[in-house]
């Protein structure tokens, strides 16, 4: 449901008091467009907020949601690929989605206790886009509890009175791990039988099993530090914003860093790059999700910066330059005492071999390598030649796993920078 936050405030002003239903992906296997936790809101008039599959199953989900609002019962249905019936709702990508639908009655009178989902939606609307937040829901019972947590990175389940009635023992520890790591997933309660209720068989709901806990958590945005106020930095800043990074542009030269073309950055800093990096590290503002892109292509900036960056536990460190520059850079880092194992973690020359020439194309090359470095399943081959699921979601891989090592076969073609 956290994916709806950017639109919730305007929706809440317009529709939150009326009857609606929340459809949520509670299970996903194979190649599917959206991950567990993705939600769609359907009002009694049939208006929709959000999407579950990009159009494959939304019509069928709306019909089920309207039925749920009519009779007040929850629904659950599994959607997968259907080649036998051309008119059946199914996923053309070949995966399978398990969708749970919870009806929320209209707010009849102010003195009545609000439905937990209505309260949670209002709290999420107030949280705002980009803010760290988590939602813990009991899914599978009418009026199931929903708790919004505003400091997921420091969450302690044992110290949360709101969750005391929902969780115990191993379930409590599993929820805490998902919340603190910014993950999403389903935690099965003891005695739940491994199923959600109201599984649809044909058109009739049937009880099957007990409730589970659905956890969605979003930490503060990861940081990207772009070093170098040049054409390539100007192209990379908005590309990194599209990926959800909090972007800081750093350059020691005020005349370059103060240009309006860097206004898309969340922060522009005029300082020596290595000095700024050391200060941020000392203040505890860097973590294992932080990305450093060294684009200044000037040894007096790059070498002390890379020496400092490779000593930290960062998700990705990349440096721009030709292969000749890279070889000289490696020699200089070795001479400075940087361990060969640390140098092997450097993505240099930065980016994937896409044949990039313009700054915008180089930005795509860099962000492509960055995405690939976050997934052990990435092959960097055309999808028509690759095997396995096309869509990879956070629920399918640890959110803080160690980055993949740069592969020598993935180096970009040499660019004649000097």
């Amino acid at each position: 449901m956290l994916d709806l936050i950017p639109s919730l405030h305007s929706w809440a002003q317009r529709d939150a008091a009326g009857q609606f239903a929340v459809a949520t992906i509670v299970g996903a296997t194979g190649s599917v467009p959206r991950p567990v936790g993705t939600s769609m809101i359907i009002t009694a008039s049939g208006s929709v907020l959000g999407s579950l599959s990009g159009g494959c199953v939304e019509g069928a989900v709306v019909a089920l949601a309207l039925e749920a609002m009519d009779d007040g019962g929850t629904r659950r249905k599994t959607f997968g690929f259907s080649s036998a019936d051309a008119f059946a709702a199914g996923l053309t990508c070949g995966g399978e989605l398990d969708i749970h639908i919870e009806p929320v009655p209209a707010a009849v009178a102010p003195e009545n206790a609000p439905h937990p989902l209505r309260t949670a939606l209002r709290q999420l609307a107030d949280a705002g886009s980009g803010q760290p937040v988590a939602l813990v829901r009991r899914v599978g019972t009418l009026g199931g509890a929903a708790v919004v947590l505003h400091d997921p990175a420091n969450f302690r389940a044992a110290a949360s009175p709101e969750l005391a009635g929902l969780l115990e023992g191993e379930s409590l520890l599993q929820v805490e791990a998902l919340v603190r790591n910014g993950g999403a997933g389903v935690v099965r309660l003891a005695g739940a039988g491994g199923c959600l209720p109201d599984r649809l068989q044909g058109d009739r709901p049937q009880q099957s099993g007990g409730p589970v806990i659905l956890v969605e958590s979003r930490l503060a945005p990861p940081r990207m530090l772009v070093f170098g106020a040049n054409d390539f930095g100007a192209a990379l800043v908005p590309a990194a914003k599209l990926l959800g990074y909090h972007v800081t542009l750093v350059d020691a030269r005020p005349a370059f860093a103060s240009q309006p073309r860097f206004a898309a950055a969340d922060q522009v800093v005029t300082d020596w790059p290595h000095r700024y990096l050391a200060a941020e590290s000392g203040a505890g503002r860097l973590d294992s999700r932080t990305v450093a892109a060294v684009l200044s292509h000037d040894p007096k900036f790059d070498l002390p910066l890379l020496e400092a960056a490779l000593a930290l536990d960062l998700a990705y460190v990349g440096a721009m330059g030709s292969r000749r520059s890279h070889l000289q850079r490696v020699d200089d880092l070795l001479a400075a005492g940087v361990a060969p194992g640390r140098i092997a973690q450097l993505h240099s020359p930065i980016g994937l071999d896409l044949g990039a020439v313009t700054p915008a194309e180089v930005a795509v090359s860099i962000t492509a390598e960055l995405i690939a470095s976050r997934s052990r399943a990435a092959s960097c081959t055309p999808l028509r030649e690759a095997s396995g699921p096309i869509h990879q979601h956070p629920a399918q891989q640890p959110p803080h796993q160690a980055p993949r090592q740069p592969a020598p076969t993935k180096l970009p073609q040499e660019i004649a920078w000097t």
Side-chain angles (χ1 to χ4, degrees):
M1 194 180 296
L2 303 187
D3 58 307
L4 297 178
I5 287 178
S7 306
L8 278 180
H9 193 270
S10 59
W11 176 86
Q13 292 179 320
R14 184 180 65 253
D15 295 318
Q19 186 182 27
F20 61 90
V22 178
T24 305
I25 298 175
V26 295
T29 58
S31 179
V32 293
R34 303 301 305 278
V36 168
T38 303
S39 293
M40 183 170 77
I41 298 176
I42 305 96
T43 67
S45 64
S47 64
V48 172
L49 178 67
S51 174
L52 300 179
S53 70
C56 303
V57 304
E58 271 74 1
V61 172
V62 169
L64 289 171
L66 294 175
E67 291 178 10
M69 285 184 276
D70 283 342
D71 63 27
T74 62
R75 295 292 191 278
R76 183 186 178 217
K77 186 170 177 62
T78 299
F79 294 91
F81 178 71
S82 176
S83 59
D85 184 354
F87 298 98
L91 293 175
T92 57
C93 53
E96 189 173 273
L97 288 178
D98 215 357
I99 296 175
H100 179 267
I101 300 171
E102 171 88 10
V104 177
V108 179
E111 62 271 15
N112 292 347
H115 190 283
L117 274 182
R118 189 186 305 278
T119 301
L121 286 170
R122 291 188 181 279
Q123 292 175 344
L124 291 175
D126 293 337
S129 300
Q131 297 300 312
V133 68
L135 175 66
V136 180
R137 294 171 53 191
R138 180 189 289 267
V139 177
T141 54
L142 280 173
V147 178
V148 175
L149 306 170
H150 294 284
D151 188 16
N154 298 307
F155 172 67
R156 292 288 186 275
S160 174
E162 300 94 337
L163 297 182
L166 290 181
L167 307 171
E168 60 182 27
E170 184 178 347
S171 299
L172 186 147
L173 296 177
Q174 293 178 47
V175 167
E176 181 176 301
L178 281 169
V179 170
R180 288 173 59 83
N181 287 328
V186 171
V187 176
R188 307 202 178 277
L189 298 171
C195 295
L196 292 169
D198 302 330
R199 177 182 293 277
L200 280 179
Q201 296 187 353
D203 294 324
R204 302 180 62 184
Q206 178 177 338
Q207 284 295 119
S208 174
V212 297
I213 300 297
L214 175 63
V215 180
E216 301 172 71
S217 180
R218 182 180 68 189
L219 303 181
R223 296 189 65 186
M224 176 182 279
L225 309 179
V226 179
F227 298 97
N230 52 33
D231 291 342
F232 300 99
L236 182 58
V237 165
K241 293 287 292 178
L242 285 174
L243 294 181
Y245 285 96
H246 181 282
V247 183
T248 302
L249 179 84
V250 184
D251 199 293
R253 304 161 297 181
F256 290 87
S258 61
Q259 297 177 69
R261 61 179 174 161
F262 302 115
D266 296 288
Q267 184 181 19
V268 177
V269 174
T270 303
D271 198 355
W272 277 81
H274 71 285
R275 187 166 60 193
Y276 172 77
L277 187 71
E280 291 298 285
S281 176
R285 290 191 284 265
L286 307 180
D287 59 28
S288 60
R289 301 181 299 154
T290 301
V291 168
V294 182
L295 310 182
S296 45
H297 199 247
D298 186 333
K300 71 175 178 290
F301 296 127
D302 293 357
L303 289 175
L305 171 60
L306 289 173
E307 185 178 349
L310 292 173
L312 301 175
D313 179 23
L314 304 183
Y316 174 101
V317 179
M320 177 173 283
S322 66
R323 290 191 176 92
R324 181 175 61 186
S325 298
H326 169 67
L327 294 175
Q328 182 60 54
R329 182 181 292 145
V330 170
D331 288 341
D332 293 338
L333 290 172
L334 287 171
V338 180
R342 284 289 184 175
I343 296 176
Q345 298 175 16
L346 175 63
H347 294 258
S348 172
I350 195 171
L352 293 184
D353 183 5
L354 306 181
V357 176
T358 67
E361 291 171 344
V362 171
V364 172
S365 169
I366 294 170
T367 53
E369 184 182 46
L370 178 57
I371 293 170
S373 74
R374 300 189 310 209
S375 172
R376 298 189 186 279
S379 67
C380 301
T381 59
L383 287 174
R384 68 174 182 268
E385 300 173 8
S387 60
I390 293 175
H391 304 285
Q392 294 288 329
H393 297 297
Q396 297 172 269
Q397 57 190 33
H400 290 252
Q401 66 186 13
R404 298 166 69 233
Q405 296 301 318
T409 56
K410 308 297 184 192
L411 291 176
Q413 66 185 47
E414 183 168 357
I415 300 176
W417 296 318
T418 58

